[in-house]
Amino acid sequence: MAGMGSGPDHLFNLRNTFYLGAYQTAINNSEIPNLSPEDAVERDCLVFRSYIALGSYQLVISEIDEAAATPLQAVKLLAMYLSSPDNKESTISSVKEWLADSTIGNNAILRLIAGTIFMHEEDYNEALKHTHAGGTMDLHALNVQIFIKMHRSDYAEKQLRVMQQYDEDHTLTQLATAWLNLAVGGSKIQEAYLIFQDFSERYPMTCLVLNSKAVCCMQMGNFDEAESLLLEALNKDAKDPETLANLVVCSLHVGKSSSRYLSQLKLSHPEHVLVKRVSSAEDNFERALQSIA
């Protein structure tokens, strides 16, 4: 697997920071001396993926030029895909074209980005075509996510086993274990909570970890604790879509109004799945009213 060589791993901390959602910290701490050319490309990918996670798509699009290495070009495609709905079709056809090119089609980052894009499109079979062979921890972690979305926790577990055999303590292995525990539910939710709790004790708190803990709490029926975790996350980033979406759900359970969070989510992330669901429910409600009137 890539990132599985011997010798010191200069990108270990940067990778962890990115995986746990501390995107600005990753960007701020990316000046690492003595990187090999290959490591420098991986570092740049992590930095640009952090900018994408923060919603700075245009910055990524303008900074990565035609001369950049294939992995960086792939990251640029993700920024283009996410930057506007109008770009989606042309970006997807570029992705498919690159995947079909035998000189670059097997590049791990290109496959990862392709899998991410097709997962967004909910075209899980197409995503797996490019990610299923694995080869890096990132690809195996993405496979776990895809299989969970397909409600195939049996396949997700097989991917997780591969990760555990390689490195049980790897941050992605721990995260993937927690995602699977959440998907399986029941007594496993407490185990997922403890994994996120462990991260929050060892690393600075991020929206990602706070939201993950909150989701565990909600699934266990602890809505008050979930609400305080989500408000802490909102304090860190008032526009984070997952925080807003989780607050909408949580508010309903604690008997508070969720309309302000929903309005914020609609404004900042009109494409979010919760916004789409609510709009379609509103449309149906309007239609129902009209049919009665």
Side-chain angles (χ1 to χ4, degrees):
M1 287 195 186
M4 306 192 169
S6 51
D9 184 353
H10 297 293
L11 297 176
F12 180 81
N13 289 334
L14 185 64
R15 252 186 244 113
N16 266 353
T17 309
F18 171 76
Y19 293 145
L20 292 172
Y23 303 116
Q24 193 58 55
T25 310
I27 293 164
N28 297 348
N29 296 322
S30 59
E31 289 299 321
I32 303 164
N34 310 323
L35 290 181
S36 68
E38 201 175 313
D39 279 350
V41 169
E42 188 186 343
R43 184 263 319 269
D44 292 347
C45 283
L46 288 165
V47 168
F48 285 124
R49 285 168 69 197
S50 297
Y51 276 118
I52 288 174
L54 294 172
S56 304
Y57 309 128
Q58 292 310 323
L59 180 142
V60 175
I61 292 166
S62 60
E63 291 268 313
I64 298 176
D65 62 21
E66 294 303 306
T70 300
L72 288 163
Q73 297 287 353
V75 171
K76 181 177 182 171
L77 280 180
L78 180 61
M80 287 164 71
Y81 170 81
L82 293 170
S83 67
S84 97
D86 306 339
N87 290 344
K88 287 190 175 177
E89 278 185 31
S90 62
T91 310
I92 289 170
S93 68
S94 297
V95 169
K96 286 183 169 169
E97 207 175 297
W98 293 13
L99 289 164
D101 178 339
S102 59
T103 55
I104 57 169
N106 209 24
N107 181 278
I109 296 282
L110 175 58
R111 287 163 52 219
L112 181 74
I113 298 297
T116 305
I117 289 175
F118 291 121
M119 185 169 80
H120 271 281
E121 290 289 305
E122 295 181 12
D123 189 347
Y124 302 127
N125 290 326
E126 186 63 36
L128 287 168
K129 234 189 255 181
H130 310 293
T131 60
H132 192 255
T136 67
M137 291 298 263
D138 284 81
L139 280 163
H140 286 293
L142 183 60
N143 286 334
V144 171
Q145 285 181 305
I146 294 169
F147 284 128
I148 288 172
K149 285 190 180 291
M150 295 172 81
H151 305 291
R152 291 305 305 257
S153 42
D154 50 340
Y155 283 120
E157 199 172 333
K158 282 180 188 158
Q159 292 290 323
L160 181 58
R161 275 201 215 112
V162 175
M163 296 174 79
Q164 287 167 335
Q165 276 165 357
Y166 173 68
D167 182 356
E168 203 158 358
D169 299 323
H170 195 291
T171 299
L172 281 180
T173 309
Q174 293 296 312
L175 282 172
T177 304
W179 300 333
L180 186 58
N181 283 339
L182 263 173
V184 171
S187 60
K188 291 282 186 189
I189 294 168
Q190 180 66 30
E191 291 176 34
Y193 179 86
L194 293 173
I195 291 173
F196 295 123
Q197 179 61 31
D198 182 48
F199 280 136
S200 62
E201 285 166 8
R202 286 191 297 143
Y203 297 98
M205 276 289 209
T206 63
C207 283
L208 182 104
V209 174
L210 286 163
N211 270 284
S212 302
K213 282 176 75 175
V215 168
C216 294
C217 289
M218 288 197 282
Q219 293 217 16
M220 293 188 286
N222 307 339
F223 292 98
D224 292 332
E225 186 186 343
E227 187 186 27
S228 66
L229 289 163
L230 292 168
L231 292 173
E232 193 184 332
L234 195 66
N235 239 346
K236 290 187 180 295
D237 179 358
K239 285 192 174 140
D240 180 67
E242 292 319 304
T243 305
L244 291 166
N246 284 327
L247 272 165
V248 170
V249 176
C250 193
S251 303
L252 295 171
H253 283 278
V254 290
K256 296 182 182 172
S257 165
S258 62
S259 59
R260 195 185 53 185
Y261 301 128
L262 189 57
S263 306
Q264 282 173 286
L265 187 63
K266 277 182 181 172
L267 282 171
S268 51
H269 300 275
E271 292 287 300
H272 194 280
V273 60
L274 188 68
V275 173
K276 287 182 168 168
R277 260 187 219 152
V278 170
S279 332
S280 95
E282 282 168 1
D283 290 348
N284 290 338
F285 185 64
E286 287 294 319
R287 277 204 296 277
L289 283 181
Q290 282 161 358
S291 68
I292 298 165

